[in-house]
């Protein structure tokens, strides 16, 4: 009876969050909250081109810690060049130093700009990136799709409740949305201008974020050859385990999926595999469908020196349909025995 009451209360708390409403302009704005400890506003773009150029970039604005920033680019025949967490002055909007994400039309168009040097070990080369993002479908807002109150409520109810637990639950109060799209524009490298088109994925979120509370996660974003966009995500925090988000978007229609496996059910070859597959159930009474993930180019990041994230350009096959996108995996090296230098 006690467990049932906890589940009912947890589902109720989750449903309250799902009643929030935001305009597109509010979603696409930068959010700052100096009074909230560990507040983080994070925006991310990634693009994969047929020519072999792939990039991942992120701007994060934090209330009481140094801002975060990523720019890493895979250059055909030359490997990965880039930086993370440079000390760069914060500008208006989504801007740190020469790296800027400019919103042109909320929910539809953005511009990604960077001009400066990218390192690779002891080498450096100048690059100029000027790309325009066009959304392929409406924003996917996770207050509304991707998760259910019952899924989250059951996981919250399975944990031990106390004051510390509820304080840490603020980490789950994220506003988070994603979008699939296309990027086009130019990348100038070693004096040569490349006109490029990319398959793109992006996200934006804000709220409390403490990397030391993260234990492990994966975040799989892909665009299939038939135009569908998907997200399959799983995260375990130190205070609540196996929170899932899963959806399939087909043009204007977006479907929350019934079930993906927990970490305990997954048969990974090691903690940070480079390829794997698992079964997905879209509907409670529907058949299982197979997702296969093969990672190719890797972009590693170390967050606050407590949480390791490895981004990867990935090839997907979902229920027989091919696609491309980003496979992100993360792990807390303080909680798992892993040599992070061997994961790429």
């Amino acid at each position: 009876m006690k467990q049932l009451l906890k589940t009912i209360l947890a589902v109720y708390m989750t449903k309250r969050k799902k009643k929030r409403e935001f305009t597109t302009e509010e979603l696409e704005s930068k959010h700052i909250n100096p009074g909230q400890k560990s507040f983080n506003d994070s925006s991310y773009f990634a693009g994969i081109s047929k020519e072999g150029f792939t990039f991942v970039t992120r701007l994060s604005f934090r209330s009481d810690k140094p801002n975060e920033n990523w720019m890493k680019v895979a250059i055909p025949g030359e490997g990965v060049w880039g930086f993370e967490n440079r000390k760069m002055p914060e500008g208006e909007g989504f801007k740190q130093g020469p790296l800027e994400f400019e919103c042109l039309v909320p929910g539809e168009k953005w511009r990604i700009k960077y001009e400066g040097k990218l390192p690779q070990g002891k080498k450096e080369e100048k690059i100029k990136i000027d790309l325009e993002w066009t959304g392929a479908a409406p924003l996917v807002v996770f207050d509304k799709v991707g998760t259910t109150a019952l899924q989250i409520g059951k996981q919250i109810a399975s944990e031990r409740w106390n004051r510390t637990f509820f304080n840490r639950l603020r980490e789950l109060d994220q506003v988070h949305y994603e979008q699939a799209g296309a990027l086009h524009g130019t990348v100038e490298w070693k004096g040569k201008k490349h006109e490029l088109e990319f398959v793109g994925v992006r996200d934006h979120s804000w709220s409390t974020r403490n990397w030391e509370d993260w234990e492990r996660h994966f975040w799989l974003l892909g665009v299939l050859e038939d135009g569908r966009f998907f997200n399959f995500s799983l995260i375990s925090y130190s205070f609540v385990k196996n929170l899932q988000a899963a959806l399939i978007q087909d043009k204007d229609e977006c479907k929350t999926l019934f079930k993906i496996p927990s970490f305990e059910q997954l048969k990974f070859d090691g903690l940070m595999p480079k390829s794997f597959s698992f079964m997905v159930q879209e509907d409670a009474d529907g058949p299982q469908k197979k997702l296969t993930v093969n990672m190719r180019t890797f972009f590693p990041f170390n967050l606050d020196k407590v949480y390791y994230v490895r981004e990867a350009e990935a090839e997907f096959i979902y229920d027989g349909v091919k696609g491309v996108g980003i496979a992100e995996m993360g792990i807390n090296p303080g909680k798992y025995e892993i040599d992070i230098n061997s994961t790429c």
Side-chain angles (χ1 to χ4, degrees):
M1 179 60 73
K2 179 181 177 181
Q3 193 62 36
L4 176 60
L5 291 175
K6 284 177 67 178
T7 301
I8 293 171
L9 182 56
V11 170
Y12 172 73
M13 290 189 297
T14 305
K15 283 183 176 179
R16 284 176 60 194
K17 187 187 83 167
K18 287 184 172 291
K19 292 181 179 179
R20 297 183 297 195
E21 296 289 344
F22 301 94
T23 66
T24 302
E25 289 74 16
E26 287 174 323
L27 290 171
E28 297 276 65
S29 298
K30 175 180 168 182
H31 297 263
I32 56 173
N33 189 348
Q36 183 174 333
K37 185 178 179 181
S38 300
F39 187 84
N40 184 316
D41 181 296
S42 173
S43 292
Y44 170 94
F45 288 84
I48 303 103
S49 76
K50 292 180 179 179
E51 291 82 4
F53 287 86
T54 297
F55 75 89
V56 296
T57 185
R58 175 172 173 259
L59 285 173
S60 170
F61 302 90
R62 307 203 287 182
S63 63
D64 54 359
K65 297 176 183 177
N67 289 338
E68 298 169 314
N69 50 70
W70 301 352
M71 172 55 80
K72 291 195 177 181
V73 185
I75 308 294
E78 298 194 44
V80 175
W81 299 69
F83 62 82
E84 63 174 311
N85 298 338
R86 279 182 173 171
K87 292 182 179 180
M88 300 192 296
E90 180 176 339
E92 290 293 322
F94 299 90
K95 180 177 173 63
Q96 293 180 31
L99 179 58
E100 181 177 10
F101 306 158
E102 180 186 4
C103 185
L104 304 177
V105 181
E108 298 180 28
K109 290 188 180 294
W110 283 76
R111 191 177 182 190
I112 296 97
K113 297 183 290 184
Y114 175 77
E115 184 173 5
K117 292 182 177 180
L118 293 184
Q120 185 191 67
K122 295 182 179 180
K123 299 182 291 184
E124 278 192 332
E125 291 286 348
K126 185 177 179 180
I127 195 170
K128 183 177 180 181
I129 296 170
D130 191 349
L131 302 172
E132 186 172 294
W133 164 280
T134 301
L139 302 178
V140 175
V141 183
F142 280 74
D143 274 12
K144 307 302 178 185
V145 296
T147 64
T148 69
L150 182 59
Q151 288 170 344
I152 297 174
K154 283 183 175 180
Q155 289 303 121
I156 291 174
S158 68
E159 303 294 335
R160 183 179 178 182
W161 288 8
N162 53 40
R163 181 176 294 179
T164 300
F165 173 79
F166 282 104
N167 286 337
R168 286 182 164 181
L169 271 186
R170 294 175 184 173
E171 181 100 15
L172 306 187
D173 196 29
Q174 293 275 336
V175 179
H176 176 204
Y177 63 93
E178 298 175 353
Q179 189 179 37
L183 297 122
H184 73 274
T186 59
V187 175
E188 295 184 32
W189 177 256
K190 292 184 177 179
K192 183 178 179 180
K193 182 181 287 190
H194 302 266
E195 295 278 349
L196 297 169
E197 294 185 356
F198 300 82
V199 173
V201 293
R202 74 175 181 111
D203 88 333
H204 179 206
S205 64
W206 68 87
S207 190
T208 300
R209 182 174 295 178
N210 291 298
W211 293 119
E212 60 268 25
D213 285 336
W214 291 47
E215 290 194 351
R216 64 186 303 197
H217 85 284
F218 66 71
W219 181 61
L220 310 175
L221 293 183
V223 180
L224 299 174
E225 289 181 347
D226 60 14
R228 288 180 295 165
F229 168 65
F230 68 78
N231 171 311
F232 301 126
S233 301
L234 190 65
I235 180 169
S236 284
Y237 296 95
S238 59
F239 53 91
V240 62
K241 316 299 183 191
N242 289 310
L243 291 174
Q244 76 166 61
L247 62 87
I248 296 281
Q249 184 184 36
D250 189 358
K251 299 182 178 63
D252 291 349
E253 295 184 6
C254 197
K255 178 180 183 180
T256 300
L257 305 193
F258 174 67
K259 186 178 182 182
I260 64 174
S262 66
F263 278 115
E264 291 73 24
Q265 294 168 331
L266 290 163
K267 305 299 181 184
F268 282 165
D269 181 15
L271 292 168
M272 299 279 281
K274 298 177 182 178
S275 62
F276 58 89
S277 62
F278 58 81
M279 304 305 292
V280 172
Q281 195 168 354
E282 293 189 8
D283 301 289
D285 56 354
Q288 291 195 330
K289 298 181 179 181
K290 187 176 183 180
L291 174 72
T292 300
V293 185
N294 291 305
M295 303 176 212
R296 301 190 301 190
T297 305
F298 297 92
F299 308 92
F301 300 96
N302 200 338
L303 305 178
D304 287 341
K305 299 182 180 180
V306 296
Y307 196 72
Y308 173 72
V309 168
R310 186 194 67 193
E311 305 271 313
E313 175 191 353
E315 296 176 337
F316 299 103
I317 303 175
Y318 179 65
D319 195 29
V321 181
K322 293 181 180 180
V324 297
I326 295 294
E328 176 184 282
M329 302 192 79
I331 197 160
N332 188 325
K335 298 183 182 295
Y336 295 89
E337 292 187 10
I338 183 171
D339 178 9
I340 60 175
N341 295 318
S342 66
T343 64
C344 293

